[in-house]
Amino acid sequence: MRDRLFLAWLLLLLLSAASTAFAELAGAGLLDPRGLAWGGALLLGVTWLKSRTILGAYLRLDQTPAARRVFSGVLFLYLVLLAGLFLAPLA
């Protein structure tokens, strides 16, 4: 169990580093509006991975697959809605 939590922590650390790198690029103005919108949508994917890691490893929802599916499904739908809002200006 301890190794599993450590691996989850490492994954969260790497995903947080990716989020920070994107924020630095966006803050420095190195992304055009199109790249910013797509990057924001991809950042929501990172958020979904982080939430699944927390739900599965730390809240132990991996032991109850039905509950994990419900939580992951609701989060996925919410993040898809937010991705649509990020990408709406491109349409």
Coordinates of all heavy atoms in Angstrom, one line a residue:
M1 N 0.8 -1.2 0.0 CA 0.0 0.0 0.0 C 0.9 1.3 0.0 O 0.6 2.2 -0.7 CB -0.9 0.0 1.2 CG -1.8 1.1 1.3 SD -3.0 1.1 0.0 CE -4.2 2.2 0.6
R2 N 2.0 1.2 0.7 CA 2.8 2.4 0.8 C 3.4 2.7 -0.5 O 3.5 3.9 -0.9 CB 3.9 2.1 1.9 CG 4.3 3.2 2.7 CD 5.1 2.7 3.9 NE 5.8 3.6 4.7 CZ 5.3 4.6 5.3 NH1 4.1 4.9 5.2 NH2 6.0 5.4 6.1
D3 N 3.9 1.7 -1.3 CA 4.5 2.0 -2.6 C 3.4 2.6 -3.5 O 3.8 3.5 -4.3 CB 5.0 0.7 -3.2 CG 6.2 0.2 -2.4 OD1 6.9 1.0 -1.8 OD2 6.5 -1.0 -2.5
R4 N 2.2 2.2 -3.4 CA 1.1 2.7 -4.3 C 0.9 4.2 -4.0 O 0.7 5.0 -4.9 CB -0.1 1.9 -4.0 CG -1.2 2.2 -5.0 CD -2.3 1.1 -4.9 NE -3.3 1.5 -5.8 CZ -4.5 1.9 -5.4 NH1 -4.8 1.9 -4.2 NH2 -5.4 2.2 -6.3
L5 N 0.9 4.5 -2.7 CA 0.7 5.9 -2.4 C 1.9 6.8 -2.8 O 1.7 7.9 -3.3 CB 0.5 6.1 -0.9 CG -0.9 5.6 -0.3 CD1 -0.9 5.7 1.2 CD2 -2.0 6.3 -1.0
F6 N 3.1 6.2 -2.7 CA 4.2 7.0 -3.2 C 4.2 7.2 -4.7 O 4.5 8.3 -5.2 CB 5.5 6.2 -2.8 CG 6.8 6.9 -3.2 CD1 7.2 8.0 -2.6 CD2 7.5 6.4 -4.3 CE1 8.3 8.7 -3.0 CE2 8.7 7.0 -4.7 CZ 9.1 8.2 -4.1
L7 N 3.8 6.2 -5.5 CA 3.7 6.3 -6.9 C 2.6 7.3 -7.3 O 2.8 8.1 -8.2 CB 3.4 5.0 -7.6 CG 4.6 4.0 -7.5 CD1 4.1 2.7 -8.1 CD2 5.8 4.6 -8.3
A8 N 1.5 7.3 -6.5 CA 0.4 8.3 -6.7 C 0.9 9.7 -6.4 O 0.7 10.7 -7.2 CB -0.8 8.0 -5.9
W9 N 1.7 9.8 -5.4 CA 2.3 11.1 -5.0 C 3.2 11.6 -6.1 O 3.2 12.8 -6.5 CB 3.0 11.0 -3.7 CG 3.7 12.3 -3.3 CD1 3.1 13.4 -2.8 CD2 5.1 12.6 -3.4 NE1 4.0 14.4 -2.6 CE2 5.2 13.9 -3.0 CE3 6.2 11.9 -3.9 CZ2 6.5 14.5 -2.9 CZ3 7.4 12.5 -3.8 CH2 7.6 13.8 -3.4
L10 N 4.1 10.7 -6.7 CA 5.0 11.1 -7.7 C 4.2 11.5 -9.0 O 4.6 12.5 -9.6 CB 5.9 9.9 -8.1 CG 7.1 9.7 -7.3 CD1 7.9 8.5 -7.7 CD2 8.0 10.9 -7.4
L11 N 3.1 10.8 -9.3 CA 2.3 11.2 -10.5 C 1.7 12.6 -10.3 O 1.7 13.4 -11.2 CB 1.2 10.2 -10.7 CG 0.3 10.5 -11.9 CD1 1.0 10.5 -13.2 CD2 -0.8 9.4 -12.0
L12 N 1.2 12.8 -9.1 CA 0.6 14.1 -8.8 C 1.7 15.2 -8.9 O 1.4 16.3 -9.3 CB 0.0 14.1 -7.4 CG -1.3 13.3 -7.3 CD1 -1.7 13.2 -5.8 CD2 -2.4 13.9 -8.1
L13 N 2.9 14.9 -8.4 CA 4.0 15.9 -8.5 C 4.3 16.2 -9.9 O 4.5 17.4 -10.3 CB 5.2 15.3 -7.8 CG 6.4 16.2 -7.6 CD1 6.0 17.3 -6.6 CD2 7.6 15.4 -7.0
L14 N 4.4 15.2 -10.8 CA 4.7 15.4 -12.2 C 3.6 16.2 -12.9 O 3.9 17.1 -13.7 CB 5.0 14.1 -12.9 CG 6.2 13.4 -12.5 CD1 6.3 12.0 -13.1 CD2 7.4 14.1 -12.9
L15 N 2.4 15.9 -12.6 CA 1.2 16.6 -13.2 C 1.2 18.0 -12.8 O 0.8 18.9 -13.5 CB -0.1 15.8 -13.0 CG -0.2 14.5 -13.6 CD1 -1.5 13.8 -13.2 CD2 -0.2 14.6 -15.2
S16 N 1.5 18.2 -11.5 CA 1.6 19.6 -11.0 C 2.7 20.4 -11.7 O 2.5 21.6 -12.0 CB 1.7 19.6 -9.5 OG 0.6 19.1 -8.9
A17 N 3.8 19.8 -11.9 CA 4.9 20.4 -12.6 C 4.5 20.8 -14.1 O 4.8 21.9 -14.6 CB 6.1 19.5 -12.7
A18 N 3.7 19.9 -14.7 CA 3.2 20.3 -16.1 C 2.3 21.5 -16.0 O 2.3 22.3 -16.9 CB 2.5 19.0 -16.7
S19 N 1.4 21.5 -15.0 CA 0.5 22.6 -14.8 C 1.3 23.9 -14.6 O 1.0 25.0 -15.1 CB -0.4 22.4 -13.6 OG -1.2 21.3 -13.8
T20 N 2.3 23.8 -13.8 CA 3.1 25.0 -13.5 C 3.9 25.5 -14.7 O 4.0 26.7 -15.0 CB 4.1 24.7 -12.4 OG1 3.4 24.3 -11.2 CG2 5.0 25.9 -12.0
A21 N 4.4 24.6 -15.5 CA 5.1 24.9 -16.7 C 4.2 25.6 -17.7 O 4.5 26.7 -18.3 CB 5.7 23.7 -17.4
F22 N 2.9 25.2 -17.8 CA 1.9 25.8 -18.7 C 1.6 27.2 -18.2 O 1.6 28.2 -19.0 CB 0.7 25.0 -18.8 CG -0.4 25.7 -19.5 CD1 -0.4 25.8 -20.9 CD2 -1.5 26.3 -18.9 CE1 -1.4 26.4 -21.6 CE2 -2.5 26.9 -19.6 CZ -2.4 27.0 -20.9
A23 N 1.5 27.4 -16.9 CA 1.2 28.7 -16.3 C 2.3 29.6 -16.6 O 2.1 30.8 -16.8 CB 0.9 28.5 -14.8
E24 N 3.6 29.2 -16.5 CA 4.7 30.0 -16.7 C 4.8 30.5 -18.2 O 5.0 31.6 -18.5 CB 6.0 29.3 -16.3 CG 6.2 29.2 -14.9 CD 6.4 30.5 -14.2 OE1 7.1 31.4 -14.7 OE2 5.9 30.6 -13.1
L25 N 4.5 29.5 -19.1 CA 4.5 29.9 -20.5 C 3.4 30.9 -20.8 O 3.6 31.9 -21.5 CB 4.3 28.6 -21.4 CG 5.4 27.7 -21.5 CD1 5.0 26.4 -22.2 CD2 6.6 28.4 -22.2
A26 N 2.2 30.7 -20.3 CA 1.1 31.6 -20.5 C 1.3 32.9 -19.9 O 1.0 34.0 -20.5 CB -0.2 30.9 -19.9
G27 N 1.9 32.9 -18.7 CA 2.1 34.2 -18.0 C 3.2 35.0 -18.6 O 3.2 36.2 -18.6
A28 N 4.2 34.4 -19.3 CA 5.2 35.1 -20.0 C 4.8 35.6 -21.4 O 5.5 36.2 -22.0 CB 6.4 34.2 -20.1
G29 N 3.6 35.2 -21.8 CA 3.1 35.6 -23.1 C 3.6 34.9 -24.2 O 3.7 35.4 -25.3
L30 N 4.1 33.7 -24.0 CA 4.8 32.9 -25.0 C 3.8 32.1 -25.8 O 4.2 31.4 -26.8 CB 5.8 31.9 -24.4 CG 7.0 32.7 -23.7 CD1 7.9 31.7 -23.1 CD2 7.7 33.5 -24.7
L31 N 2.5 32.1 -25.5 CA 1.5 31.4 -26.2 C 0.5 32.3 -26.9 O 0.1 33.3 -26.3 CB 0.7 30.5 -25.2 CG 1.5 29.4 -24.5 CD1 0.6 28.7 -23.5 CD2 2.0 28.4 -25.5
D32 N 0.2 32.0 -28.1 CA -0.8 32.8 -28.8 C -2.2 32.4 -28.3 O -2.3 31.4 -27.6 CB -0.7 32.6 -30.3 CG -0.9 31.2 -30.8 OD1 -1.0 30.3 -29.9 OD2 -1.1 30.9 -32.0
P33 N -3.2 33.2 -28.6 CA -4.5 32.9 -28.1 C -5.0 31.5 -28.4 O -5.6 30.8 -27.6 CB -5.4 34.0 -28.7 CG -4.5 35.1 -29.0 CD -3.2 34.5 -29.4
R34 N -4.7 31.0 -29.6 CA -5.1 29.7 -30.0 C -4.4 28.6 -29.1 O -5.0 27.7 -28.7 CB -4.8 29.5 -31.5 CG -5.5 28.2 -32.1 CD -5.3 28.3 -33.6 NE -6.0 27.2 -34.2 CZ -7.3 27.2 -34.5 NH1 -8.0 28.2 -34.2 NH2 -7.8 26.2 -35.1
G35 N -3.1 28.8 -29.0 CA -2.3 27.8 -28.1 C -2.8 27.9 -26.7 O -2.8 26.9 -26.0
L36 N -3.1 29.1 -26.2 CA -3.6 29.3 -24.9 C -4.9 28.5 -24.7 O -5.1 27.9 -23.6 CB -3.8 30.8 -24.6 CG -4.0 31.2 -23.2 CD1 -2.8 30.7 -22.3 CD2 -4.1 32.7 -23.1
A37 N -5.8 28.6 -25.6 CA -7.1 27.9 -25.5 C -6.9 26.4 -25.5 O -7.5 25.7 -24.7 CB -8.1 28.3 -26.7
W38 N -6.1 25.9 -26.5 CA -5.9 24.4 -26.5 C -5.1 24.0 -25.3 O -5.4 22.9 -24.7 CB -5.1 24.1 -27.8 CG -6.1 24.0 -29.0 CD1 -6.2 24.9 -30.0 CD2 -7.0 23.0 -29.2 NE1 -7.1 24.5 -30.9 CE2 -7.7 23.3 -30.4 CE3 -7.4 21.8 -28.5 CZ2 -8.7 22.5 -31.0 CZ3 -8.4 21.0 -29.1 CH2 -9.1 21.4 -30.3
G39 N -4.2 24.8 -24.8 CA -3.4 24.4 -23.6 C -4.3 24.4 -22.4 O -4.2 23.5 -21.6
G40 N -5.2 25.3 -22.3 CA -6.2 25.3 -21.2 C -7.1 24.1 -21.2 O -7.3 23.5 -20.2
A41 N -7.5 23.7 -22.4 CA -8.3 22.5 -22.6 C -7.5 21.2 -22.2 O -8.0 20.3 -21.5 CB -8.8 22.3 -24.0
L42 N -6.2 21.2 -22.6 CA -5.3 20.1 -22.2 C -5.1 20.1 -20.7 O -4.9 19.0 -20.1 CB -4.0 20.1 -23.0 CG -4.1 19.7 -24.4 CD1 -2.8 20.0 -25.2 CD2 -4.6 18.3 -24.6
L43 N -5.0 21.3 -20.1 CA -4.8 21.4 -18.7 C -5.9 20.7 -17.9 O -5.8 20.2 -16.8 CB -4.6 22.8 -18.3 CG -4.1 23.1 -16.9 CD1 -2.7 22.5 -16.7 CD2 -4.0 24.6 -16.7
L44 N -7.1 20.8 -18.5 CA -8.3 20.2 -17.9 C -8.1 18.7 -17.9 O -8.6 18.0 -17.0 CB -9.6 20.6 -18.6 CG -10.0 22.0 -18.3 CD1 -11.2 22.4 -19.2 CD2 -10.3 22.3 -16.9
G45 N -7.5 18.1 -18.9 CA -7.2 16.7 -18.9 C -6.2 16.3 -17.8 O -6.4 15.3 -17.2
V46 N -5.2 17.2 -17.6 CA -4.3 17.0 -16.5 C -5.1 17.0 -15.2 O -4.8 16.2 -14.3 CB -3.2 18.0 -16.5 CG1 -2.4 18.0 -15.2 CG2 -2.3 17.8 -17.7
T47 N -6.0 17.9 -15.0 CA -6.8 18.0 -13.8 C -7.6 16.7 -13.6 O -7.8 16.2 -12.5 CB -7.8 19.2 -14.0 OG1 -7.0 20.4 -14.1 CG2 -8.7 19.3 -12.7
W48 N -8.2 16.1 -14.7 CA -8.9 14.9 -14.6 C -8.0 13.8 -14.1 O -8.4 13.0 -13.3 CB -9.6 14.6 -15.9 CG -10.5 13.4 -15.9 CD1 -11.7 13.4 -15.2 CD2 -10.4 12.2 -16.5 NE1 -12.3 12.2 -15.4 CE2 -11.5 11.4 -16.1 CE3 -9.4 11.6 -17.3 CZ2 -11.7 10.1 -16.6 CZ3 -9.6 10.3 -17.7 CH2 -10.7 9.6 -17.4
L49 N -6.8 13.7 -14.7 CA -5.9 12.6 -14.2 C -5.5 12.8 -12.7 O -5.4 11.8 -12.0 CB -4.6 12.7 -15.1 CG -4.7 12.2 -16.5 CD1 -3.4 12.4 -17.2 CD2 -5.1 10.7 -16.5
K50 N -5.3 14.0 -12.3 CA -5.0 14.3 -10.9 C -6.2 13.9 -10.0 O -6.0 13.3 -9.0 CB -4.6 15.8 -10.7 CG -3.3 16.1 -11.3 CD -3.0 17.6 -11.2 CE -2.8 18.1 -9.8 NZ -2.4 19.5 -9.8
S51 N -7.4 14.2 -10.4 CA -8.5 13.9 -9.6 C -8.7 12.4 -9.5 O -9.1 11.9 -8.5 CB -9.8 14.6 -10.1 OG -10.1 14.1 -11.4
R52 N -8.5 11.7 -10.6 CA -8.7 10.2 -10.6 C -7.6 9.6 -9.7 O -7.9 8.6 -9.0 CB -8.6 9.6 -12.0 CG -9.9 9.8 -12.8 CD -9.9 9.0 -14.0 NE -9.4 7.6 -13.9 CZ -10.2 6.6 -13.8 NH1 -11.5 6.7 -13.7 NH2 -9.7 5.4 -13.7
T53 N -6.4 10.1 -9.7 CA -5.3 9.6 -8.9 C -5.7 9.8 -7.4 O -5.6 8.9 -6.6 CB -4.0 10.4 -9.2 OG1 -3.7 10.1 -10.5 CG2 -2.9 9.8 -8.3
I54 N -6.2 11.0 -7.1 CA -6.6 11.3 -5.7 C -7.8 10.4 -5.3 O -7.8 9.8 -4.2 CB -6.9 12.8 -5.5 CG1 -5.7 13.6 -5.6 CG2 -7.6 13.0 -4.1 CD1 -5.9 15.1 -5.8
L55 N -8.8 10.3 -6.1 CA -9.9 9.4 -5.8 C -9.5 8.0 -5.7 O -10.0 7.3 -4.8 CB -11.0 9.6 -6.9 CG -11.8 10.9 -6.9 CD1 -12.7 10.9 -8.2 CD2 -12.6 11.1 -5.7
G56 N -8.7 7.5 -6.5 CA -8.3 6.1 -6.5 C -7.4 5.7 -5.4 O -7.6 4.8 -4.7
A57 N -6.3 6.5 -5.3 CA -5.2 6.1 -4.4 C -5.5 6.6 -2.9 O -5.3 5.8 -2.0 CB -3.9 6.7 -4.8
Y58 N -5.9 7.8 -2.8 CA -6.0 8.4 -1.4 C -7.4 8.1 -0.8 O -7.5 7.9 0.4 CB -5.7 9.9 -1.5 CG -4.2 10.1 -1.7 CD1 -3.8 10.5 -3.0 CD2 -3.3 9.9 -0.7 CE1 -2.4 10.7 -3.3 CE2 -1.9 10.2 -1.0 CZ -1.5 10.5 -2.3 OH -0.2 10.7 -2.5
L59 N -8.4 8.2 -1.6 CA -9.7 7.9 -1.1 C -10.2 6.5 -1.2 O -11.3 6.1 -0.9 CB -10.8 8.9 -1.7 CG -10.5 10.4 -1.5 CD1 -11.6 11.2 -2.2 CD2 -10.5 10.7 0.0
R60 N -9.3 5.7 -1.9 CA -9.4 4.3 -2.0 C -10.7 3.9 -2.8 O -11.3 2.8 -2.6 CB -9.4 3.5 -0.7 CG -8.1 3.7 0.0 CD -8.1 2.9 1.3 NE -6.8 3.1 2.0 CZ -6.6 2.7 3.2 NH1 -7.5 2.0 3.8 NH2 -5.5 2.9 3.8
L61 N -11.1 4.7 -3.8 CA -12.2 4.3 -4.6 C -11.9 3.3 -5.6 O -12.7 2.7 -6.3 CB -12.8 5.6 -5.3 CG -13.5 6.5 -4.4 CD1 -14.1 7.6 -5.3 CD2 -14.6 5.8 -3.6
D62 N -10.6 2.9 -5.7 CA -10.2 1.8 -6.6 C -10.8 0.5 -6.1 O -11.0 -0.5 -6.8 CB -8.7 1.6 -6.7 CG -8.1 2.7 -7.7 OD1 -8.9 3.2 -8.5 OD2 -6.9 2.9 -7.6
Q63 N -11.1 0.4 -4.8 CA -11.6 -0.7 -4.2 C -13.1 -0.9 -4.4 O -13.7 -1.9 -4.2 CB -11.4 -0.7 -2.7 CG -9.9 -0.8 -2.3 CD -9.7 -0.6 -0.8 OE1 -10.6 -0.4 0.0 NE2 -8.4 -0.7 -0.5
T64 N -13.8 0.2 -4.8 CA -15.2 0.2 -5.2 C -15.4 0.8 -6.6 O -15.6 2.0 -6.8 CB -16.0 1.0 -4.2 OG1 -15.5 2.3 -4.1 CG2 -16.0 0.4 -2.8
P65 N -15.2 0.0 -7.6 CA -15.2 0.5 -9.0 C -16.5 1.2 -9.4 O -16.4 2.2 -10.2 CB -15.1 -0.8 -9.8 CG -14.5 -1.8 -8.9 CD -15.0 -1.5 -7.6
A66 N -17.6 0.8 -8.9 CA -18.9 1.6 -9.2 C -18.8 3.0 -8.8 O -19.2 3.9 -9.5 CB -20.1 0.8 -8.7
A67 N -18.4 3.2 -7.5 CA -18.3 4.6 -7.0 C -17.2 5.4 -7.8 O -17.4 6.5 -8.1 CB -17.9 4.5 -5.5
R68 N -16.1 4.7 -8.1 CA -15.1 5.4 -8.9 C -15.6 5.8 -10.2 O -15.3 7.0 -10.7 CB -13.9 4.5 -9.1 CG -12.7 5.2 -9.7 CD -11.6 4.3 -10.1 NE -12.0 3.4 -11.1 CZ -11.7 2.1 -11.2 NH1 -10.9 1.6 -10.3 NH2 -12.1 1.4 -12.1
R69 N -16.4 5.0 -10.9 CA -17.0 5.3 -12.2 C -17.9 6.5 -12.1 O -17.9 7.4 -12.9 CB -17.7 4.1 -12.8 CG -16.8 3.2 -13.5 CD -17.6 2.2 -14.3 NE -18.4 1.3 -13.5 CZ -18.1 0.2 -13.0 NH1 -16.9 -0.2 -13.1 NH2 -18.9 -0.5 -12.3
V70 N -18.7 6.5 -11.0 CA -19.7 7.6 -10.9 C -18.9 8.9 -10.7 O -19.2 10.0 -11.3 CB -20.6 7.4 -9.7 CG1 -21.4 8.6 -9.3 CG2 -21.6 6.2 -10.0
F71 N -18.0 9.0 -9.7 CA -17.2 10.2 -9.5 C -16.4 10.6 -10.7 O -16.4 11.8 -11.1 CB -16.3 10.0 -8.3 CG -16.9 10.2 -7.0 CD1 -17.3 9.1 -6.2 CD2 -17.1 11.4 -6.5 CE1 -17.9 9.3 -5.0 CE2 -17.7 11.6 -5.2 CZ -18.1 10.5 -4.5
S72 N -15.8 9.7 -11.4 CA -15.0 10.0 -12.6 C -15.9 10.5 -13.7 O -15.5 11.4 -14.4 CB -14.2 8.8 -13.0 OG -13.3 8.4 -12.1
G73 N -17.1 9.9 -13.8 CA -18.0 10.3 -14.9 C -18.5 11.7 -14.7 O -18.5 12.5 -15.6
V74 N -18.8 12.1 -13.4 CA -19.3 13.4 -13.1 C -18.2 14.4 -13.4 O -18.4 15.5 -14.0 CB -19.8 13.5 -11.7 CG1 -20.1 14.9 -11.3 CG2 -21.1 12.7 -11.5
L75 N -17.0 14.1 -12.9 CA -15.8 15.0 -13.1 C -15.5 15.1 -14.6 O -15.3 16.2 -15.1 CB -14.6 14.5 -12.4 CG -14.5 14.7 -10.9 CD1 -13.4 13.9 -10.3 CD2 -14.3 16.2 -10.7
F76 N -15.6 14.1 -15.4 CA -15.4 14.1 -16.8 C -16.4 15.0 -17.5 O -16.0 15.9 -18.3 CB -15.4 12.7 -17.4 CG -15.2 12.7 -18.9 CD1 -13.9 12.8 -19.3 CD2 -16.2 12.5 -19.8 CE1 -13.6 12.8 -20.7 CE2 -16.0 12.5 -21.1 CZ -14.7 12.6 -21.6
L77 N -17.6 14.9 -17.2 CA -18.6 15.7 -17.8 C -18.4 17.2 -17.5 O -18.6 18.1 -18.3 CB -20.0 15.3 -17.4 CG -20.5 13.9 -18.0 CD1 -21.8 13.6 -17.4 CD2 -20.6 14.0 -19.5
Y78 N -18.1 17.5 -16.2 CA -17.8 18.8 -15.8 C -16.6 19.4 -16.6 O -16.7 20.6 -17.1 CB -17.6 18.9 -14.3 CG -17.3 20.3 -13.8 CD1 -18.3 21.3 -13.8 CD2 -16.1 20.6 -13.3 CE1 -18.0 22.5 -13.3 CE2 -15.8 21.8 -12.8 CZ -16.7 22.8 -12.8 OH -16.4 24.1 -12.4
L79 N -15.6 18.6 -16.7 CA -14.4 19.1 -17.4 C -14.6 19.2 -18.9 O -14.0 20.1 -19.5 CB -13.2 18.2 -17.1 CG -12.7 18.2 -15.6 CD1 -11.6 17.2 -15.4 CD2 -12.2 19.6 -15.2
V80 N -15.4 18.4 -19.5 CA -15.8 18.6 -20.9 C -16.5 19.9 -21.1 O -16.3 20.6 -22.1 CB -16.6 17.4 -21.4 CG1 -17.2 17.7 -22.7 CG2 -15.7 16.1 -21.5
L81 N -17.4 20.2 -20.2 CA -18.1 21.5 -20.3 C -17.2 22.6 -20.2 O -17.2 23.6 -21.0 CB -19.2 21.6 -19.1 CG -19.9 22.9 -19.0 CD1 -20.8 23.1 -20.1 CD2 -20.6 23.0 -17.7
L82 N -16.2 22.6 -19.3 CA -15.2 23.6 -19.1 C -14.3 23.7 -20.4 O -14.0 24.8 -20.8 CB -14.4 23.4 -17.9 CG -15.1 23.7 -16.6 CD1 -14.1 23.3 -15.4 CD2 -15.6 25.1 -16.5
A83 N -14.0 22.6 -21.0 CA -13.2 22.5 -22.2 C -13.9 23.2 -23.3 O -13.3 24.0 -24.1 CB -12.8 21.1 -22.6
G84 N -15.2 23.0 -23.4 CA -16.0 23.7 -24.4 C -16.0 25.2 -24.2 O -15.9 25.9 -25.2
L85 N -16.0 25.6 -23.0 CA -15.9 27.1 -22.7 C -14.5 27.6 -23.1 O -14.4 28.7 -23.6 CB -16.2 27.4 -21.3 CG -17.6 27.1 -20.8 CD1 -17.8 27.3 -19.3 CD2 -18.6 28.0 -21.5
F86 N -13.5 26.8 -22.9 CA -12.2 27.3 -23.3 C -12.1 27.4 -24.8 O -11.5 28.3 -25.4 CB -11.1 26.2 -22.9 CG -10.5 26.5 -21.5 CD1 -10.6 25.6 -20.5 CD2 -9.8 27.7 -21.3 CE1 -10.0 25.9 -19.3 CE2 -9.2 28.0 -20.1 CZ -9.3 27.0 -19.1
L87 N -12.7 26.4 -25.5 CA -12.5 26.3 -27.0 C -13.6 27.1 -27.7 O -13.4 27.3 -28.9 CB -12.5 24.9 -27.4 CG -11.4 24.0 -26.8 CD1 -11.5 22.6 -27.2 CD2 -10.0 24.6 -27.3
A88 N -14.6 27.6 -27.1 CA -15.7 28.3 -27.7 C -15.2 29.5 -28.5 O -15.6 29.8 -29.6 CB -16.7 28.7 -26.7
P89 N -14.2 30.3 -28.0 CA -13.7 31.5 -28.8 C -13.1 31.1 -30.1 O -13.0 31.9 -31.0 CB -12.7 32.2 -27.9 CG -13.1 31.7 -26.5 CD -13.6 30.3 -26.7
L90 N -12.6 29.9 -30.3 CA -12.0 29.4 -31.5 C -12.9 29.1 -32.6 O -12.6 29.1 -33.8 CB -11.1 28.2 -31.2 CG -9.9 28.4 -30.3 CD1 -9.2 27.1 -30.1 CD2 -9.0 29.5 -30.7
A91 N -14.2 28.9 -32.2 CA -15.2 28.5 -33.2 C -15.7 29.7 -34.1 O -15.6 30.8 -33.8 CB -16.4 27.8 -32.6

